[in-house]
Amino acid sequence: MKESEWVEIGVGITLIGIEQELQGAFGVLGLLGFLLLTIGLRAVNTTLAYAGALVLIMLTVQA
């Protein structure tokens, strides 16, 4: 396997772990916020990224 493939696998595993922690701490809305943020950053769509960040900030402030 190439080094870039190992990096992608590592990033994928890390993202799955973060998603599980967010879902445990903040429930489905935390997972939704994280997914919006991730999709927005990967697609270079600032609207989705801001919406995801806003959801996560609101959940954090509420807790």
Short mmCIF file of all heavy atoms in Angstrom, two decimals:
data_model
loop_
_atom_site.label_atom_id
_atom_site.label_comp_id
_atom_site.label_asym_id
_atom_site.label_seq_id
_atom_site.Cartn_x
_atom_site.Cartn_y
_atom_site.Cartn_z
N MET A 1 0.84 -1.18 0.00
CA MET A 1 0.00 0.00 0.00
C MET A 1 0.88 1.24 0.00
O MET A 1 1.93 1.27 0.63
CB MET A 1 -0.91 0.03 1.22
CG MET A 1 -1.94 -1.08 1.26
SD MET A 1 -3.00 -0.96 2.71
CE MET A 1 -4.26 0.09 2.03
N LYS A 2 0.40 2.27 -0.65
CA LYS A 2 1.12 3.53 -0.70
C LYS A 2 0.92 4.28 0.61
O LYS A 2 -0.01 4.04 1.37
CB LYS A 2 0.61 4.38 -1.85
CG LYS A 2 0.86 3.77 -3.20
CD LYS A 2 0.32 4.66 -4.29
CE LYS A 2 0.48 4.03 -5.65
NZ LYS A 2 -0.10 4.84 -6.71
N GLU A 3 1.81 5.22 0.84
CA GLU A 3 1.74 6.00 2.07
C GLU A 3 0.46 6.83 2.14
O GLU A 3 -0.15 6.96 3.20
CB GLU A 3 2.95 6.94 2.17
CG GLU A 3 2.99 7.72 3.45
CD GLU A 3 4.23 8.59 3.55
OE1 GLU A 3 5.22 8.31 2.87
OE2 GLU A 3 4.18 9.55 4.33
N SER A 4 0.01 7.35 1.00
CA SER A 4 -1.21 8.15 0.98
C SER A 4 -2.43 7.32 1.36
O SER A 4 -3.37 7.83 1.99
CB SER A 4 -1.41 8.81 -0.38
OG SER A 4 -1.57 7.81 -1.39
N GLU A 5 -2.43 6.04 0.98
CA GLU A 5 -3.54 5.16 1.35
C GLU A 5 -3.57 4.94 2.86
O GLU A 5 -4.64 4.89 3.46
CB GLU A 5 -3.44 3.84 0.61
CG GLU A 5 -3.68 3.98 -0.89
CD GLU A 5 -3.43 2.69 -1.64
OE1 GLU A 5 -2.79 1.76 -1.08
OE2 GLU A 5 -3.87 2.61 -2.80
N TRP A 6 -2.40 4.80 3.47
CA TRP A 6 -2.34 4.62 4.92
C TRP A 6 -2.82 5.87 5.64
O TRP A 6 -3.50 5.78 6.66
CB TRP A 6 -0.91 4.29 5.37
CG TRP A 6 -0.51 2.87 5.08
CD1 TRP A 6 0.36 2.45 4.14
CD2 TRP A 6 -0.99 1.69 5.73
NE1 TRP A 6 0.46 1.09 4.15
CE2 TRP A 6 -0.37 0.59 5.12
CE3 TRP A 6 -1.90 1.47 6.76
CZ2 TRP A 6 -0.62 -0.71 5.53
CZ3 TRP A 6 -2.13 0.16 7.15
CH2 TRP A 6 -1.50 -0.91 6.54
N VAL A 7 -2.50 7.02 5.09
CA VAL A 7 -2.95 8.28 5.70
C VAL A 7 -4.47 8.38 5.61
O VAL A 7 -5.13 8.76 6.58
CB VAL A 7 -2.27 9.49 5.01
CG1 VAL A 7 -2.89 10.79 5.45
CG2 VAL A 7 -0.78 9.48 5.28
N GLU A 8 -5.03 8.03 4.46
CA GLU A 8 -6.48 8.08 4.30
C GLU A 8 -7.18 7.11 5.25
O GLU A 8 -8.23 7.44 5.82
CB GLU A 8 -6.87 7.77 2.86
CG GLU A 8 -6.53 8.88 1.89
CD GLU A 8 -6.94 8.56 0.47
OE1 GLU A 8 -7.75 7.64 0.26
OE2 GLU A 8 -6.44 9.25 -0.43
N ILE A 9 -6.63 5.93 5.43
CA ILE A 9 -7.21 4.96 6.36
C ILE A 9 -7.15 5.51 7.79
O ILE A 9 -8.12 5.42 8.55
CB ILE A 9 -6.48 3.60 6.26
CG1 ILE A 9 -6.81 2.94 4.92
CG2 ILE A 9 -6.87 2.69 7.42
CD1 ILE A 9 -6.00 1.70 4.63
N GLY A 10 -6.01 6.10 8.16
CA GLY A 10 -5.86 6.68 9.49
C GLY A 10 -6.85 7.82 9.74
O GLY A 10 -7.45 7.91 10.80
N VAL A 11 -7.02 8.67 8.74
CA VAL A 11 -7.96 9.78 8.87
C VAL A 11 -9.38 9.25 8.99
O VAL A 11 -10.18 9.74 9.80
CB VAL A 11 -7.82 10.75 7.67
CG1 VAL A 11 -8.96 11.74 7.64
CG2 VAL A 11 -6.49 11.46 7.73
N GLY A 12 -9.71 8.24 8.21
CA GLY A 12 -11.05 7.64 8.28
C GLY A 12 -11.34 7.05 9.65
O GLY A 12 -12.43 7.26 10.21
N ILE A 13 -10.39 6.34 10.20
CA ILE A 13 -10.57 5.76 11.53
C ILE A 13 -10.71 6.85 12.58
O ILE A 13 -11.56 6.76 13.48
CB ILE A 13 -9.39 4.82 11.86
CG1 ILE A 13 -9.45 3.58 10.97
CG2 ILE A 13 -9.38 4.43 13.33
CD1 ILE A 13 -8.24 2.69 11.05
N THR A 14 -9.93 7.91 12.46
CA THR A 14 -10.01 9.02 13.40
C THR A 14 -11.38 9.69 13.33
O THR A 14 -11.99 10.00 14.35
CB THR A 14 -8.91 10.05 13.11
OG1 THR A 14 -7.65 9.39 13.18
CG2 THR A 14 -8.94 11.19 14.09
N LEU A 15 -11.87 9.91 12.10
CA LEU A 15 -13.18 10.54 11.94
C LEU A 15 -14.30 9.69 12.51
O LEU A 15 -15.23 10.21 13.13
CB LEU A 15 -13.45 10.85 10.46
CG LEU A 15 -12.65 11.99 9.87
CD1 LEU A 15 -12.94 12.13 8.38
CD2 LEU A 15 -12.93 13.29 10.59
N ILE A 16 -14.21 8.38 12.35
CA ILE A 16 -15.22 7.49 12.92
C ILE A 16 -15.20 7.59 14.44
O ILE A 16 -16.24 7.63 15.08
CB ILE A 16 -15.00 6.04 12.44
CG1 ILE A 16 -15.33 5.92 10.96
CG2 ILE A 16 -15.84 5.06 13.25
CD1 ILE A 16 -14.95 4.60 10.34
N GLY A 17 -14.01 7.64 15.02
CA GLY A 17 -13.90 7.78 16.48
C GLY A 17 -14.48 9.09 16.97
O GLY A 17 -15.19 9.13 17.97
N ILE A 18 -14.21 10.18 16.25
CA ILE A 18 -14.76 11.49 16.64
C ILE A 18 -16.27 11.48 16.53
O ILE A 18 -16.97 12.00 17.40
CB ILE A 18 -14.14 12.60 15.77
CG1 ILE A 18 -12.67 12.77 16.12
CG2 ILE A 18 -14.89 13.92 15.96
CD1 ILE A 18 -11.92 13.69 15.18
N GLU A 19 -16.79 10.88 15.46
CA GLU A 19 -18.24 10.80 15.29
C GLU A 19 -18.89 10.04 16.44
O GLU A 19 -19.94 10.45 16.96
CB GLU A 19 -18.59 10.13 13.97
CG GLU A 19 -18.34 10.99 12.76
CD GLU A 19 -18.66 10.26 11.47
OE1 GLU A 19 -19.34 9.22 11.50
OE2 GLU A 19 -18.23 10.75 10.41
N GLN A 20 -18.29 8.94 16.86
CA GLN A 20 -18.84 8.15 17.95
C GLN A 20 -18.83 8.93 19.26
O GLN A 20 -19.78 8.88 20.02
CB GLN A 20 -18.07 6.84 18.10
CG GLN A 20 -18.25 5.89 16.94
CD GLN A 20 -19.68 5.46 16.77
OE1 GLN A 20 -20.38 5.16 17.73
NE2 GLN A 20 -20.14 5.44 15.53
N GLU A 21 -17.75 9.65 19.52
CA GLU A 21 -17.67 10.46 20.74
C GLU A 21 -18.71 11.58 20.73
O GLU A 21 -19.37 11.84 21.74
CB GLU A 21 -16.27 11.06 20.91
CG GLU A 21 -15.23 10.04 21.30
CD GLU A 21 -15.51 9.42 22.65
OE1 GLU A 21 -15.92 10.13 23.59
OE2 GLU A 21 -15.32 8.20 22.78
N LEU A 22 -18.87 12.24 19.59
CA LEU A 22 -19.86 13.32 19.50
C LEU A 22 -21.27 12.79 19.68
O LEU A 22 -22.10 13.41 20.33
CB LEU A 22 -19.74 14.04 18.15
CG LEU A 22 -18.67 15.10 18.06
CD1 LEU A 22 -18.55 15.60 16.64
CD2 LEU A 22 -18.95 16.24 19.00
N GLN A 23 -21.55 11.64 19.07
CA GLN A 23 -22.89 11.08 19.20
C GLN A 23 -23.17 10.68 20.65
O GLN A 23 -24.28 10.85 21.14
CB GLN A 23 -23.07 9.89 18.28
CG GLN A 23 -24.50 9.41 18.22
CD GLN A 23 -24.71 8.34 17.17
OE1 GLN A 23 -23.77 7.79 16.62
NE2 GLN A 23 -25.95 8.01 16.91
N GLY A 24 -22.16 10.19 21.34
CA GLY A 24 -22.34 9.82 22.74
C GLY A 24 -22.53 11.03 23.63
O GLY A 24 -23.33 11.01 24.56
N ALA A 25 -21.82 12.11 23.34
CA ALA A 25 -21.89 13.30 24.18
C ALA A 25 -23.07 14.19 23.84
O ALA A 25 -23.71 14.75 24.72
CB ALA A 25 -20.59 14.09 24.07
N PHE A 26 -23.36 14.36 22.54
CA PHE A 26 -24.37 15.33 22.12
C PHE A 26 -25.53 14.72 21.36
O PHE A 26 -26.41 15.44 20.89
CB PHE A 26 -23.72 16.41 21.26
CG PHE A 26 -22.66 17.19 21.97
CD1 PHE A 26 -21.35 17.09 21.60
CD2 PHE A 26 -23.00 18.02 23.02
CE1 PHE A 26 -20.37 17.81 22.25
CE2 PHE A 26 -22.02 18.74 23.69
CZ PHE A 26 -20.70 18.63 23.31
N GLY A 27 -25.53 13.41 21.17
CA GLY A 27 -26.64 12.75 20.50
C GLY A 27 -26.62 12.94 18.99
O GLY A 27 -25.60 13.22 18.39
N VAL A 28 -27.77 12.80 18.42
CA VAL A 28 -27.91 12.83 16.97
C VAL A 28 -27.58 14.22 16.41
O VAL A 28 -26.99 14.35 15.33
CB VAL A 28 -29.33 12.39 16.55
CG1 VAL A 28 -29.53 12.52 15.05
CG2 VAL A 28 -29.59 10.97 17.00
N LEU A 29 -27.94 15.28 17.13
CA LEU A 29 -27.63 16.63 16.65
C LEU A 29 -26.13 16.87 16.58
O LEU A 29 -25.65 17.56 15.68
CB LEU A 29 -28.29 17.68 17.54
CG LEU A 29 -29.77 17.91 17.29
CD1 LEU A 29 -30.32 18.93 18.28
CD2 LEU A 29 -30.02 18.37 15.88
N GLY A 30 -25.38 16.32 17.50
CA GLY A 30 -23.93 16.45 17.45
C GLY A 30 -23.36 15.76 16.23
O GLY A 30 -22.46 16.27 15.56
N LEU A 31 -23.89 14.58 15.93
CA LEU A 31 -23.45 13.86 14.74
C LEU A 31 -23.83 14.62 13.48
O LEU A 31 -23.03 14.74 12.55
CB LEU A 31 -24.07 12.46 14.72
CG LEU A 31 -23.69 11.56 13.57
CD1 LEU A 31 -22.20 11.29 13.57
CD2 LEU A 31 -24.45 10.25 13.66
N LEU A 32 -25.03 15.18 13.44
CA LEU A 32 -25.46 15.95 12.29
C LEU A 32 -24.58 17.19 12.09
O LEU A 32 -24.16 17.49 10.96
CB LEU A 32 -26.92 16.38 12.46
CG LEU A 32 -27.48 17.28 11.36
CD1 LEU A 32 -27.60 16.51 10.06
CD2 LEU A 32 -28.82 17.84 11.78
N GLY A 33 -24.28 17.89 13.16
CA GLY A 33 -23.40 19.06 13.07
C GLY A 33 -22.02 18.70 12.56
O GLY A 33 -21.45 19.39 11.72
N PHE A 34 -21.48 17.58 13.06
CA PHE A 34 -20.16 17.15 12.61
C PHE A 34 -20.18 16.76 11.14
O PHE A 34 -19.25 17.09 10.40
CB PHE A 34 -19.68 15.98 13.47
CG PHE A 34 -18.30 15.50 13.11
CD1 PHE A 34 -17.20 16.28 13.41
CD2 PHE A 34 -18.12 14.30 12.46
CE1 PHE A 34 -15.93 15.85 13.06
CE2 PHE A 34 -16.85 13.87 12.11
CZ PHE A 34 -15.75 14.64 12.41
N LEU A 35 -21.23 16.07 10.71
CA LEU A 35 -21.33 15.68 9.30
C LEU A 35 -21.46 16.90 8.41
O LEU A 35 -20.83 16.97 7.34
CB LEU A 35 -22.50 14.73 9.09
CG LEU A 35 -22.32 13.32 9.64
CD1 LEU A 35 -23.59 12.50 9.45
CD2 LEU A 35 -21.15 12.63 8.96
N LEU A 36 -22.26 17.88 8.81
CA LEU A 36 -22.39 19.11 8.02
C LEU A 36 -21.04 19.82 7.92
O LEU A 36 -20.65 20.29 6.84
CB LEU A 36 -23.42 20.04 8.64
CG LEU A 36 -24.88 19.70 8.45
CD1 LEU A 36 -25.76 20.64 9.27
CD2 LEU A 36 -25.27 19.75 6.99
N LEU A 37 -20.33 19.91 9.02
CA LEU A 37 -19.03 20.56 9.02
C LEU A 37 -18.05 19.82 8.12
O LEU A 37 -17.36 20.43 7.30
CB LEU A 37 -18.49 20.64 10.45
CG LEU A 37 -17.12 21.28 10.63
CD1 LEU A 37 -17.16 22.74 10.21
CD2 LEU A 37 -16.68 21.15 12.07
N THR A 38 -18.00 18.50 8.23
CA THR A 38 -17.07 17.71 7.43
C THR A 38 -17.39 17.80 5.95
O THR A 38 -16.49 18.01 5.13
CB THR A 38 -17.12 16.23 7.88
OG1 THR A 38 -16.85 16.16 9.27
CG2 THR A 38 -16.10 15.41 7.14
N ILE A 39 -18.65 17.65 5.60
CA ILE A 39 -19.04 17.72 4.19
C ILE A 39 -18.77 19.12 3.64
O ILE A 39 -18.28 19.27 2.52
CB ILE A 39 -20.52 17.33 4.01
CG1 ILE A 39 -20.71 15.85 4.32
CG2 ILE A 39 -21.01 17.65 2.60
CD1 ILE A 39 -22.16 15.42 4.43
N GLY A 40 -19.07 20.14 4.42
CA GLY A 40 -18.81 21.51 3.98
C GLY A 40 -17.34 21.78 3.73
O GLY A 40 -16.98 22.45 2.76
N LEU A 41 -16.48 21.26 4.60
CA LEU A 41 -15.05 21.49 4.43
C LEU A 41 -14.51 20.72 3.23
O LEU A 41 -13.69 21.23 2.47
CB LEU A 41 -14.28 21.09 5.69
CG LEU A 41 -14.51 22.00 6.90
CD1 LEU A 41 -13.79 21.43 8.12
CD2 LEU A 41 -14.04 23.41 6.61
N ARG A 42 -14.97 19.49 3.03
CA ARG A 42 -14.49 18.69 1.90
C ARG A 42 -14.99 19.23 0.57
O ARG A 42 -14.27 19.17 -0.42
CB ARG A 42 -14.90 17.24 2.06
CG ARG A 42 -14.11 16.51 3.11
CD ARG A 42 -14.49 15.05 3.17
NE ARG A 42 -13.71 14.38 4.16
CZ ARG A 42 -12.78 13.48 3.86
NH1 ARG A 42 -12.55 13.17 2.62
NH2 ARG A 42 -12.09 12.91 4.82
N ALA A 43 -16.21 19.75 0.54
CA ALA A 43 -16.78 20.26 -0.70
C ALA A 43 -16.47 21.75 -0.90
O ALA A 43 -16.92 22.34 -1.87
CB ALA A 43 -18.29 20.05 -0.71
N VAL A 44 -15.73 22.33 0.03
CA VAL A 44 -15.41 23.75 0.03
C VAL A 44 -16.71 24.57 -0.09
O VAL A 44 -16.84 25.49 -0.88
CB VAL A 44 -14.41 24.12 -1.10
CG1 VAL A 44 -13.88 25.53 -0.90
CG2 VAL A 44 -13.26 23.14 -1.14
N ASN A 45 -17.68 24.19 0.71
CA ASN A 45 -18.97 24.87 0.77
C ASN A 45 -19.06 25.54 2.14
O ASN A 45 -19.30 24.87 3.15
CB ASN A 45 -20.10 23.87 0.56
CG ASN A 45 -21.45 24.52 0.47
OD1 ASN A 45 -21.65 25.61 0.98
ND2 ASN A 45 -22.39 23.83 -0.16
N THR A 46 -18.85 26.85 2.16
CA THR A 46 -18.79 27.54 3.44
C THR A 46 -20.14 27.55 4.17
O THR A 46 -20.16 27.56 5.40
CB THR A 46 -18.31 28.99 3.25
OG1 THR A 46 -19.15 29.65 2.31
CG2 THR A 46 -16.88 29.03 2.77
N THR A 47 -21.23 27.51 3.42
CA THR A 47 -22.54 27.51 4.06
C THR A 47 -22.74 26.26 4.91
O THR A 47 -23.17 26.34 6.06
CB THR A 47 -23.66 27.61 3.00
OG1 THR A 47 -23.43 28.76 2.19
CG2 THR A 47 -25.02 27.69 3.66
N LEU A 48 -22.42 25.10 4.36
CA LEU A 48 -22.54 23.85 5.13
C LEU A 48 -21.56 23.83 6.30
O LEU A 48 -21.91 23.39 7.40
CB LEU A 48 -22.28 22.64 4.23
CG LEU A 48 -23.42 22.18 3.33
CD1 LEU A 48 -22.98 20.98 2.51
CD2 LEU A 48 -24.65 21.86 4.13
N ALA A 49 -20.34 24.29 6.06
CA ALA A 49 -19.34 24.30 7.13
C ALA A 49 -19.78 25.21 8.28
O ALA A 49 -19.66 24.84 9.45
CB ALA A 49 -17.99 24.73 6.58
N TYR A 50 -20.29 26.38 7.95
CA TYR A 50 -20.76 27.30 9.00
C TYR A 50 -21.97 26.72 9.73
O TYR A 50 -22.07 26.87 10.95
CB TYR A 50 -21.13 28.66 8.41
CG TYR A 50 -19.95 29.50 8.01
CD1 TYR A 50 -20.04 30.36 6.92
CD2 TYR A 50 -18.75 29.45 8.71
CE1 TYR A 50 -18.95 31.14 6.54
CE2 TYR A 50 -17.67 30.23 8.34
CZ TYR A 50 -17.78 31.08 7.26
OH TYR A 50 -16.72 31.85 6.89
N ALA A 51 -22.87 26.09 9.01
CA ALA A 51 -24.05 25.50 9.66
C ALA A 51 -23.63 24.39 10.63
O ALA A 51 -24.13 24.33 11.76
CB ALA A 51 -25.01 24.94 8.61
N GLY A 52 -22.71 23.54 10.21
CA GLY A 52 -22.23 22.48 11.09
C GLY A 52 -21.51 23.03 12.31
O GLY A 52 -21.71 22.57 13.43
N ALA A 53 -20.67 24.04 12.10
CA ALA A 53 -19.96 24.66 13.21
C ALA A 53 -20.94 25.32 14.18
O ALA A 53 -20.77 25.23 15.40
CB ALA A 53 -18.95 25.67 12.69
N LEU A 54 -21.95 25.96 13.65
CA LEU A 54 -22.95 26.62 14.49
C LEU A 54 -23.70 25.60 15.35
O LEU A 54 -23.91 25.82 16.54
CB LEU A 54 -23.93 27.40 13.63
CG LEU A 54 -25.00 28.19 14.38
CD1 LEU A 54 -24.35 29.27 15.22
CD2 LEU A 54 -25.98 28.79 13.40
N VAL A 55 -24.08 24.47 14.76
CA VAL A 55 -24.77 23.42 15.52
C VAL A 55 -23.87 22.92 16.65
O VAL A 55 -24.31 22.78 17.79
CB VAL A 55 -25.20 22.26 14.60
CG1 VAL A 55 -25.66 21.05 15.40
CG2 VAL A 55 -26.29 22.70 13.64
N LEU A 56 -22.60 22.67 16.34
CA LEU A 56 -21.69 22.17 17.37
C LEU A 56 -21.45 23.21 18.47
O LEU A 56 -21.39 22.87 19.65
CB LEU A 56 -20.36 21.75 16.74
CG LEU A 56 -20.43 20.50 15.86
CD1 LEU A 56 -19.08 20.25 15.19
CD2 LEU A 56 -20.86 19.29 16.66
N ILE A 57 -21.33 24.47 18.09
CA ILE A 57 -21.14 25.52 19.09
C ILE A 57 -22.36 25.64 19.99
O ILE A 57 -22.24 25.76 21.21
CB ILE A 57 -20.82 26.88 18.41
CG1 ILE A 57 -19.43 26.81 17.80
CG2 ILE A 57 -20.93 28.02 19.38
CD1 ILE A 57 -19.09 27.98 16.91
N MET A 58 -23.54 25.60 19.40
CA MET A 58 -24.78 25.71 20.19
C MET A 58 -24.89 24.53 21.16
O MET A 58 -25.32 24.70 22.31
CB MET A 58 -26.00 25.79 19.28
CG MET A 58 -26.05 27.05 18.45
SD MET A 58 -26.07 28.56 19.43
CE MET A 58 -27.71 28.47 20.07
N LEU A 59 -24.55 23.34 20.72
CA LEU A 59 -24.61 22.17 21.60
C LEU A 59 -23.59 22.28 22.73
O LEU A 59 -23.85 21.88 23.87
CB LEU A 59 -24.40 20.89 20.80
CG LEU A 59 -25.57 20.46 19.92
CD1 LEU A 59 -25.15 19.28 19.05
CD2 LEU A 59 -26.78 20.10 20.74
N THR A 60 -22.42 22.80 22.42
CA THR A 60 -21.38 22.94 23.42
C THR A 60 -21.76 23.98 24.47
O THR A 60 -21.57 23.78 25.66
CB THR A 60 -20.04 23.34 22.76
OG1 THR A 60 -19.73 22.37 21.75
CG2 THR A 60 -18.94 23.39 23.77
N VAL A 61 -22.32 25.10 24.03
CA VAL A 61 -22.74 26.15 24.95
C VAL A 61 -23.89 25.67 25.84
O VAL A 61 -23.94 25.98 27.02
CB VAL A 61 -23.13 27.42 24.16
CG1 VAL A 61 -23.80 28.43 25.06
CG2 VAL A 61 -21.92 28.02 23.49
N GLN A 62 -24.77 24.89 25.26
CA GLN A 62 -25.93 24.39 26.00
C GLN A 62 -25.50 23.41 27.09
O GLN A 62 -26.10 23.36 28.15
CB GLN A 62 -26.90 23.72 25.04
CG GLN A 62 -28.14 23.20 25.71
CD GLN A 62 -29.04 22.45 24.73
OE1 GLN A 62 -28.61 22.10 23.65
NE2 GLN A 62 -30.25 22.20 25.13
N ALA A 63 -24.46 22.62 26.84
CA ALA A 63 -24.04 21.59 27.78
C ALA A 63 -23.31 22.17 28.92
O ALA A 63 -23.28 22.84 29.71
CB ALA A 63 -23.10 20.59 27.11
#
